[in-house]
Every structure is written in structure tokens, then in C-alpha cells.
Amino acid sequence: MDPSVDTWDLSSPLISLWINRFYIYLGFAVSISLWICLQIVIKMQDRSLQEKSVPRAPQDLMTNGYVSLQEKDIFVSGVKIFYGSQTGTAKGFATVLAEAVMSLDLPVAIINLKEYDPDDHLIEEVTSKNVCVFLVATYTDGRPTESAEWFCKWLEEASSDFRFGKSYLKGMRYAVFGLGNSAYASHFNKVGKNVDKWLWMLGAHRVMSRGEGDCDVVKSKHGSIEADFRAWKTKFISQLQALQKGERKKSCGGHCKKGKCESHQHGSEEREEGSHEQDELHHKDTEEEEPFESSSEEEFGGEDRQSLNSIVDVEDLGKIMDHVKKEKREKEQQEEKPGLFRNMGRNEDGERRAMITTALREALTKQGYQLIGSHSGVKLCRWTKSMLRGRGGCYKHTFYGIESHRCMETTPSLACANKCVFCWRHHTNPVGTEWRWKMDQPEMILKEAVENHQNMIKQFKGVPGVKAERFEEGMTVKHCALSLVGEPIMYPEINRFLKLLHQCKISSFLVTNAQFPAEIRNLKPVTQLYVSVDASTKESLKKIDRPLFNDFWQRFLDSLKALAAKQQRTVYRLTLVKAWNVDELQAYAQLVFLGNPDFIEVKGVTYCGESSASSLTMAHVPWHEEVVQFVRELVDLIPDYEIACEHEHSNCLLIAHKKFKIGGEWWTWIDYNRFQELIQEYEDSGGSKTFSAKDYMARTPHWALFGANERGFDPKDTRHQRKNKSKAISGC
């Protein structure tokens, strides 16, 4: 056989493949293309099936025409059931509801509100994907049960505290069921209504309307409180199942007329429960509560939210009620006319009027202010609460050694002669240039102030985190800050009031706005006397303090001169407002030389929220570093002073006269026992045995000094950083 022929026969298939290689490549390309197309089709079919299984995003997830990509946020990771019970009914309902929730294969936790600290943990619910259920009973006189008392108090204060803001709990989902008895019509389910309202005010989202159980079987909508709960539970479980699947039932948008929308006609959602009550009472409740029945925080603007009497705090009373605003305007118009003050201060019978009107008294009382008589008040400072729980004291603790948990903040006069732009009362307290109201006796004011303060302290018994020893100490008032609101020095019996404080071994910190020089000159010794120096020129003072006196600038200067004549401790209080008064360093230095204070507190202005009476915004709040820089530059202009202390958390620094720096150590603290001895000797001698600021000074600890690592925070306590999504603002 010819070898060449054999070779050709073996290689002929390879040659054939080589000759037809183009068709082979084309076949491979077509096959790969078909495979890719098939995979694309399969994926598109899967995506289509997923889209069909997930409902369309609700309208409130639409932003600028695009659907939010956060659909996963509407799924439920678990349910937390909080209860506040006195007789065990709410606790029993919590157990029943937990069993129903577990049937949906959802994790559930039952929490006694008595053992829950909202200050530490409530903010966690913003991102937890849980649904929080609150089963709360209304006890005697519309108060919460003992187990829920602290939670309700905290929630009420947080809802009206500008430091928390209206979006503090934005993202949290909740439902409320209240337990009450309609036999007490004026307080029926008041606690449930309030909890619902306060959560809404903090930005939380209501997943369904509030339920209201009625112990009165005659008037109960379903025949008993147990039946009322079962009916509400059924609706809640249905809503929970919808949320589990990613659905979100659309409720009343709040824009329809009362009782006219479909949700009002076909169920209890978005309407006031308790239709069994009298028509007049039901109508009143509906009007009061309607804005809070909305499930969308965007349905009402900030103006609407703050215009309701039931939710306005004393720190934001600018829109308290229509008739209060009218009354305020009428008073201001009369005050602007000289010579009308005495007539205006009397009623038709010729008697002096009370400083606090009925409407204002009601509003202030609702928001935690304990009013005393006709013109005084007391409230628990947030630093008092903080120190009770071992979370640090205020700047006065750092600068002067007061025990914040033993400090009572009060005033014998709610009235003021200024209308400062940064007033945290938003100018709703009475104003005037002289005392023209009924006057209560100082003995009564002090007695009731101490009793009310102690009652507020008692409410912290059993609160999580409160230290037992500090709770006991807090029941004995040791310090009194006469700086709550208004102008305490206007009170005609201020000297008698101070004497009573000292007789009770209570130190006195009195603040005045530098418009009453004669009263400053006549003032008896106090532990520490403050003068607010909010500006250093006539023009800026008029712009910032907006005083009522025509001769305000001369009164201001005379007040500083009167301060210089005082032998006890004196303080300038400077509040820095960016772009308004931070560029007047040389003028401030001249005022320091005029009044020669022992100390100068420099603090960044605290933004207290929007107000129609002020143009102040967050842009006017200086950073702490800016306050430090201002203080450094001011100290360079006043050679007798140095920076002594700092309290970073309050955005505040202390400048002290060098006479309080002994042997290289600062002595800015106060020996309070020694002061009480000195003031007793002064009183016993009829005022002939005087004493000076250096006679009762004490050494300042290292942690309180400027430049220390602690930045003014007492190392004995534990600093608590609030878990707030919003930007923190300065203030104390």
C-alpha cells in the first residue's frame, strides 16, 4: 500500500474540518447566543413573578415621582408589647396578644413599662423593624398607673422638648390600646390618648387607630372591656399580617371633613372610639384629638401641630390658643402706652389681677410646670434628673460645685421687662415695667415650691437607673436657682424670700436682666448674683433683648454699676448669638471694667425651635470651638481675668477673676456650709457684719478646669450620649 495514500486517508477528516471551520465557529456563536437569551428570559420571568407578589408602593413612599427602594423597611421583624397595669388587666391582655402574635411565627416580647427606660432604649425602635404595642390603663383622676408613670412623664416631656425634635422617633411603628372606664367621662382613656399623641408628636408612625376599652359594661361598645380588646386585637392581627407581607393599608389622610371619609363610615379606624359617650363630649374629644388620628406625620405642618392647646409646651407657647394670643396682644398694646400700667393691673372691682390667666395656668400645668399662687412657678430641671441617675450635673456643678440633684429651679415672678429673641418661653409669660398684679406672700411661695419640687422628685422612685442615695439626697433641697423664667427681682418681697431660703439652709442663685438697678442696690446678700449681659452696645441690646423701658440702656449701665458695689459673688452671663453679638469684643471688655464681676459665664445661645416672635435659627448657634475662640480673645482684653472652667456639654465656659487663683490653683467652687454661717452672722448683726466672695470660696477640682480631659464632666458619673438621629444642639 502506498504510504502517502494512508496518510491522506487519516488526515482527511481534519482537513475537512479545517476547510469548513467557518461554519463550525458560526454554530458555536449561535449556540452561545441562544443560551444567553434563554437565561435573560428566565431572569425576566422570575423578576416579573416577584413584582406580582409585592404590592405597589403606597403613595407616601413616592418621592419626586420615584418609588422608594426601602420596601424592606415595611416588613416586621417582631412585636414588642408594653403594658402599664394596676390591677393586672393590661398585663393579661398583653399575654393574650402575645399568643396571637406568635401564631404568625413572629418573635414577641412582653415588657413591663416599670422596668423599661425610654431614655436609653426607645430610640432603638426607629430602626428595629419592630411594631410596638402599648396597652396602658388610666388610673385615678386620669393619671397613669404607677408602673407607667415614669414612661408617660418622660414621653410627655420629650414630645415638647425642642432638643428631641419632631422626627426623634421617625421610623418607629406603634399601636395603642387604652383601658378606662367611661363612668369617669372627663378622664376616659386619657392615658391612652396621651401616649398615642406624644408618640405621634415625636414622629412615630401609627400602624392602626387607637383602641379604647371600657370597663363600664353598659356603655362598652362590645359589651365588656375584654370584648373591646378582642375586637381591637382582631384588627391589629389583620394589620400585622398585612405588614408582614409588605402590604400597608391606607388609612384616612386627615384632609377629609370629620366623620365624612370612608374609613370613618366603615370602621373604628381614624375616628375617636367611644361613640357610646354623650354627643357633646364625643364632639369635643373628636375636635381635640383629630389631628393625632392621622397615620402620616406629613399631613399636618409644624404650625398646625403647635397650635393645639393640648400639645403646646411652655417652651413653645407662641401659638397656645387663639384667645390667649388675643389676650396677649391686648396686654402688649396697653403696655406700650405710658401711664396705663396701674389701671391695667386691676379688674372691674379695683382689685389687682392675677399674673397667671386661667388658660395659661391650664396649659403650663399640663406641661409639667407646678404653678404656685398667682405669679410663681417651679419645674424640675433636666440636669436634676440627669444627676439623680448618675449621668452628670449642669455647668453650675462644674463651675461652682452645686449638687444638681438637690437644686430647685423656681421663680417668684413669671413676669419680665424684656422680650429676648432667644427666650425659651417664646414671649408668652407676662411682661411689664413694674409690679402691677396680686402679690402672694413669700412664706407660701417657698413652702409650696419645696413641696412641689419634692413631689416631682418622688416620681423618680423606682425609675431605672436612679441611684438610691441620690434619690434620698434629692428630697432635701440645698440650692435654689431663681432663673426659671421672668424677672425674680421684680417681686416686691424678694428680700424676704431670700431670707427664708437662707434660713432653710438653701443657697441662692439669682438671675436678673439688668433693667432694675435700684432693686439690685437694695438686694440683700445672695450666694451668687447674676446679670445677663446679652449685648455690649445700645443698638445690639435693643435688637436682642427688646426691652420695654425707653431708658433701657441707662438702666443697663446702672445695673452693672450696682453689681460692682456688691461684696458677694457676682457673675456676668454672656449669651453668644452668632452674627448678632460676637463681634463686640472691645465693647464687652469695657462693660467688664464697669461692673467688675467675679466671674463671666460665656455660653452659646440655645435654639429653642421656631417662633413667630423671633427670627432666631440654628444658624445663630455657635459651635463650642467658636465659643472657646471668643473667650480667648475676650480674656486678652481683660488682663485681670483668665479662663478657669469648661462645661463642653452645655457649650459654656467660665472666666474668673485672678483673685480666685491662689497658689496657682483655682478656687471657683463654693463652700456652702461656710456661706450659711456667714449669712446667719449677717442677719444676727442686723446687716452690720458683712462678708466677701473670698470668705466662702472652695478649691476647684482638676476635672472641672479648662483644658482637662474630662471637658467639665464629673468622672464620678457616666456620660450618656442620646441616640438621636438629628443633629445635636447646644444647651443646658
Side-chain angles (χ1 to χ4, degrees), residues 149-211:
E149 191 171 14
W150 162 245
F151 177 82
C152 291
K153 183 176 180 61
W154 182 92
L155 199 62
E156 178 184 13
E157 294 181 353
S159 66
S160 52
D161 189 335
F162 63 89
R163 299 176 183 89
F164 286 85
K166 299 173 185 176
S167 60
Y168 181 72
L169 295 179
K170 186 175 182 180
M172 173 183 170
R173 295 175 294 178
Y174 75 96
V176 176
F177 182 84
L179 294 81
N181 192 324
S182 60
Y184 305 96
S186 60
H187 303 302
F188 178 57
N189 265 311
K190 183 176 181 180
V191 175
K193 293 177 181 177
N194 284 339
V195 170
D196 187 22
K197 174 179 67 177
W198 295 328
L199 289 169
W200 180 85
M201 289 172 63
L202 287 169
H205 174 76
R206 183 189 298 105
V207 298
M208 66 175 291
S209 62
R210 181 182 67 250

